[in-house]
């Protein structure tokens, strides 16, 4: 393979993070809003900007080799593609929601009811699994107004904060699927060297994002205490400071471990703590 083609969302909730991820991988390209294709100048890659709904099929059919899209869209289109990498953004949950004032107790109460959604395939699978017979009304947008209009008794849609539900007099009733952005590929492409190289870059960017470079100063007498508090570190660097009896500890740690230990580090005598972002971590 000479050039790899990746499909990403043209505009919408995944576009910005998708472009940012590719740029963080060191790829240079113009992000023309008006064009469908952009060529990367320093890696054999072409970027196709598409509607997210079209991405799974384009990848399955080989028009793009790989694609970046929400798991929900993959599930809804029912394509047969390879999952290459979960990307940790575009997280959301698909839920059934019902009007605030209704008395549904459990899922079985949805039997015989009308549920409006843009995700009929995912919903039907869920209802089949729960052995519920309901009437699915497929609509393409503004699903949350359907109960108010009398079109449906419940809805099935993406919910993130729940604000849209609340403002339409709805409440979450059942979680059906959680989703995040995923890098998918055409079946069989997993071991292509260009795919592997891009994957390695993506993974090094993701690893770096979760990790911080931390530098702190401590009196030598407190050094052991500090080193015990820094989890998961193989071997921090310890450098002498100009001031007699003091050292600087340099280390790389997961950000969440850092925050859970910050007060203990201070209590153990850490001073001048500096936390820095890391661009890439190559293992
Ligand atoms: P397109 O014009 O490409 O068809 P769209 O309107 O269908 O876009 P967006 O609203 O941009 O889609 O959402 C794209 C994806 O982002 C969703 O399919 C989902 O995977 C993810 N997502 C994450 N959080 C949310 C959210 N709060 N609301 C909607 N989608 C979300
Ligand atoms: Zn869409």
């Amino acid at each position: 393979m000479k050039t790899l083609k990746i499909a990403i969302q043209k505009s919408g909730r995944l576009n910005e993070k998708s472009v940012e991820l590719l740029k963080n991988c060191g790829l240079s390209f113009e992000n023309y809003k008006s064009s469908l294709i952009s060529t990367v100048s320093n890696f054999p890659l072409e970027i196709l900007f598409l509607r997210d709904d079209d991405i799974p099929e384009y990848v399955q059919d080989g028009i793009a080799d790989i694609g970046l899209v929400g798991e929900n869209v993959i599930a809804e289109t029912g394509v047969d593609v390879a999952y290459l990498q979960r990307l940790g953004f575009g997280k959301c949950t698909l839920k059934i929601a019902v009007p605030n004032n209704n008395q549904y107790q459990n899922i079985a109460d949805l039997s015989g009811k009308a549920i409006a959604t843009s995700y009929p395939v995912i919903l039907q699978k869920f209802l089949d699994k729960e052995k519920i017979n309901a009437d699915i009304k497929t609509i393409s947008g503004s699903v949350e107004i359907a109960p108010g209009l009398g079109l449906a008794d419940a809805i099935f849609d993406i919910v993130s904060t729940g604000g849209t539900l609340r403002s339409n007099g709805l409440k979450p009733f059942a979680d059906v699927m959680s989703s995040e952005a995923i890098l998918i590929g055409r079946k069989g492409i997993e071991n292509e060297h260009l795919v592997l190289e891009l994957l390695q870059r993506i993974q090094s960017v993701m690893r770096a994002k979760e990790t911080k470079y931390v530098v702190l100063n401590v009196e030598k007498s407190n050094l052991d205490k500090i080193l015990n508090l820094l989890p998961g570190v193989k071997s921090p660097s310890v450098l002498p400071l100009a001031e007699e009896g003091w050292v600087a500890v340099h280390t790389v740690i997961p950000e969440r471990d850092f925050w859970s230990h910050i007060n203990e580090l201070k209590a153990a005598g850490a001073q001048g703590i500096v936390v820095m972002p890391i661009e890439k971590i190559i293992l």
Side-chain angles (χ1 to χ4, degrees), residues 9 11-14 50-53 70 72-73 90-92 119 158 160 179:
Q9 193 188 25
S11 65
R13 286 172 202 268
L14 298 181
L50 301 172
R51 287 213 41 203
D52 69 343
D53 314 66
N72 54 316
V73 178
K91 289 191 176 170
C92 56
Y119 295 96
I158 291 178
S160 42
S179 172

Side-chain angles (χ1 to χ4, degrees), residues 115-120 123 136-140 143 154-157:
I115 309 174
T117 187
S118 320
Y119 295 96
L123 178 59
I136 299 179
K137 305 256 187 211
T138 304
I139 52 179
S140 60
V143 169
I155 66 158
F156 172 60
D157 203 4

Side-chain angles (χ1 to χ4, degrees), residues 59 67 69 95 105 128 135 146 174 177 202 219 221 227 239 257 268:
V59 170
V69 69
K95 300 186 189 202
Q105 298 292 322
D128 289 349
D135 176 18
M177 174 185 187
I202 289 175
E219 240 172 327
S221 54
L227 294 184
L239 309 172
D257 288 348

